[in-house]
Structure formats: C-alpha cells, structure tokens
Amino acid sequence: MIITMAECTTLDSLLEMGFDRNRAERAVAHTGNQGIERAMDWLMEHENDPDIDEPYVPPAGNTLSSTEEQIQSPTETSESIEVIDEEGDSKQPMTEEEKKEQVKRLEDLMKARQEERRERERQEEVDREKQRRKHGQELLQVKQKLQDDEMKKLADMRRKEKMEDKLAKQRVKDKIARDREERARKFGGGSSSTGLSSPPSEAPPQCPPENQGAPPAKKDYDDCRIQVRLLDGTTLSTVFKAQEPLAAVRVYVQMNGANGEDFNLITPYPRRVYTDLDMEKPLRELGLVPSAVLVVTKK
C-alpha cells in the first residue's frame, strides 16, 4: 500500500513547517488526511498530550504504516505511476517557490489559530477571575452576616445578664425591707406589752432595734464575682476579693484566655473602658461589687 499524494503533501508540509515527524504522522492519521488545516488544528489541540512525542505506530491497514508496508516493488511503483499518468489524476510536483509560498501561508494560518486560542484562553481567565471575585464577595457577605448575628447574640446575652443582676439586686432590697418590717413589728409588740408596768424602761429597748436595722441596709460584700467574655465568645467566671485591684482580673484573663494578645477590659452597660490607672484601683472602688460582667476587646 502506498502513501497517496495528498498524504505526502500534508505530511511534507507539516515537516517543512518544523513539526516533528511523530507529531505530523499522528495528526495526518487522526484527522483522516482531511487537509493541512485539520492536521494543524489537531496538533494545536493535542500539543500537551503526554504521548504526543512517542514513536507513532499506525494501526494495521492505515495509509501511514511501516516502511515495509508502504514501499512497493519498483515494478509495482512504476505501474502505479503509469496508471496515474494515463488517467490524468496525477498532480505536478510543486516547485520550491510554491512550496515556500504554501509553507508561509500555513505558518500564517497557524499563527492566526494560535492567536485565537490565546485570546480564548485570556477570555476564559477573565471569566474565571470574575467568578472568583464573585465567590469571594459571597463568602464575605456570609462572614459579615455571621459576625452580625454573633454581635446580636452577644448583645442579647448582655441585656439578659443585666436584667438578671437587676432582679437579683431587687430581691435583696425586698428581703431587707421585709426584715425591717418584721423587726419593726416585733419591736412595736414589745413596747405595748411593757408600757403598762414600767414606762421608763421603754427608752433603752428602743435604741437596739434602730442599731440592728442599720447593718442589713449597709451590707458590705467581701467577695466579688466577675464574668469575663473573651474575644472568641467564650466566658470565664471566678470570684475575687472586693479589695483586690482590677489588675488581678487582667492577670487572670492573660493566664486563661488572652493567648498572649494585648487587650482592654470594658463594661458594656454603662460603657466604660478601664485604663492603666484603673488597674490599681480596688474592685469595690470601681463599682464592680458584688458582681460584674467585663468584656475583652482588642487594643
């Protein structure tokens, strides 16, 4: 079986353009010898294939087979040429000038195809970048929403804690008031029973009840419960002495949750940022007794 003139022309043109023989033979075989342009398109599309430079072994019956299968005997070749000449189907071989012109035209065509492919790749890269930015914006919006939800949750927790502290203080005040009323009733009953027998002895008993009512109204707390909300939303809670400085709370936070970061301590309601001077003041003086909630913020 011989190589046809079209195959020779396509293969030779690819070789003259500088393509490797293996690549050129693969292109001609895979495109079914449908022309130089189809072969060039195939080469550009498959130039990164891992086996593109491996020795090409055509399948059995392919027009581009081994040398032994391609070359006929001299007699057969002469007969084939004579038949082609008689039928008028043979084409005259191209001159060097025609070959150069064809190679130049094909090179221009290949450059145009390569430019089209680069332009297509640039457009695809632009589209990917747009998609990446869009995805990044969506992630940013989701992150912002999560942060807003977390801040809202934190604010609700602070309001709840403030309300609980207020109710606890109110319960203490109500208990103090009930204790006063109960002592007043007891004192009033003792006065009426002893007034008939010895009125002068009423004066001394009146002073102790008045002195007994003073300590509950002026209760002095020795301990202070401090709850600290960290940057990651977790909380620390412990008890300090009322006379301890605020610096003790700061050291406790540094040892248990600050992770080496510098921070400020604030009270949310009413908002107050504690300075370095406040660190030396006792918790009682800062109004944090009997309990308080502090929030850690970045400096």
Side-chain angles (χ1 to χ4, degrees):
M1 184 177 295
I2 64 172
I3 302 177
T4 65
M5 180 63 69
E7 289 173 344
C8 290
T9 301
T10 302
L11 182 60
D12 292 341
S13 298
L14 292 175
L15 294 176
E16 289 181 7
M17 292 174 64
F19 287 105
D20 182 76
R21 174 172 289 274
N22 286 331
R23 295 194 177 195
E25 290 180 352
R26 286 179 185 274
V28 173
H30 283 85
T31 58
N33 192 30
Q34 296 182 8
I36 186 65
E37 295 184 6
R38 293 291 301 275
M40 289 173 56
D41 290 341
W42 187 92
L43 284 171
M44 286 188 290
E45 291 176 1
H46 296 82
E47 63 179 352
N48 296 322
D49 289 359
D51 60 345
I52 188 67
D53 290 319
E54 293 181 3
Y56 177 67
V57 180
N62 191 280
T63 57
L64 294 175
S65 57
S66 63
T67 306
E68 291 78 8
E69 294 175 345
Q70 292 176 1
I71 301 177
Q72 293 179 319
S73 64
T75 304
E76 293 175 344
T77 304
S78 301
E79 293 176 354
S80 299
I81 295 175
E82 292 175 357
V83 172
I84 293 174
D85 290 338
E86 291 176 357
E87 294 177 354
D89 295 331
S90 174
K91 294 183 179 179
Q92 292 296 329
M94 291 188 298
T95 64
E96 291 298 326
E97 187 67 24
E98 291 174 340
K99 288 182 179 180
K100 291 180 180 180
E101 183 179 354
Q102 184 181 19
V103 169
K104 184 178 183 303
R105 182 178 63 84
L106 295 175
E107 288 178 348
D108 293 341
L109 177 61
M110 185 174 65
K111 290 179 181 179
R113 296 289 176 84
Q114 290 175 343
E115 182 62 28
E116 291 177 0
R117 185 179 64 174
R118 285 193 292 268
E119 182 63 27
R120 184 171 63 252
E121 291 175 351
R122 283 196 294 267
Q123 186 61 40
E124 291 175 354
E125 181 64 24
V126 171
D127 294 340
R128 284 194 297 270
E129 179 65 16
K130 290 181 179 179
Q131 188 65 23
R132 186 188 65 79
R133 292 183 179 181
K134 180 181 178 182
H135 184 62
Q137 291 176 353
E138 292 175 352
L139 290 178
L140 185 62
Q141 292 175 358
V142 171
K143 184 178 180 181
Q144 185 63 40
K145 185 178 184 301
L146 292 176
Q147 291 178 349
D148 294 342
D149 294 342
E150 184 65 21
M151 292 299 296
K152 183 179 179 181
K153 181 180 178 181
L154 181 60
D156 293 340
M157 292 178 63
R158 290 174 180 171
R159 284 194 293 268
K160 183 178 179 181
E161 291 170 354
K162 183 179 179 182
M163 183 60 67
E164 290 177 352
D165 291 342
K166 184 177 180 181
L167 293 175
K169 291 179 181 178
Q170 187 61 41
R171 287 194 294 269
V172 172
K173 290 181 181 179
D174 293 343
K175 186 175 184 305
I176 292 174
R178 288 195 299 270
D179 291 344
R180 286 180 177 176
E181 292 176 359
E182 184 177 355
R183 284 194 293 271
R185 285 196 300 270
K186 290 181 180 179
F187 174 74
S191 174
S192 59
S193 60
T194 56
L196 298 175
S197 57
S198 56
S201 61
E202 293 179 359
Q206 291 178 355
C207 294
E210 294 178 358
N211 295 332
Q212 293 176 1
K218 190 182 178 182
K219 186 173 182 180
D220 193 6
Y221 294 92
D222 294 329
D223 296 329
C224 175
R225 176 170 292 278
I226 299 294
Q227 184 179 15
V228 182
R229 185 166 300 280
L230 302 177
L231 294 171
D232 59 0
T234 59
T235 58
L236 299 173
S237 180
T238 189
V239 177
F240 298 88
K241 293 297 182 182
Q243 66 273 17
E244 287 189 78
L246 183 60
V249 179
R250 182 180 181 84
V251 171
Y252 176 78
V253 174
Q254 289 175 337
M255 295 177 62
N256 293 276
N259 295 327
E261 297 180 357
D262 200 5
F263 60 89
N264 288 327
L265 291 175
I266 68 170
T267 51
Y269 304 103
R271 180 177 176 82
R272 177 179 177 181
V273 179
Y274 294 99
T275 64
D276 293 337
L277 296 176
D278 294 330
M279 294 298 155
E280 303 300 327
K281 297 180 181 180
L283 299 177
R284 187 193 309 279
E285 182 179 343
L286 294 173
L288 302 177
V289 178
S291 64
V293 177
L294 299 178
V295 179
V296 174
T297 61
K298 291 183 178 180
K299 273 194 174 182

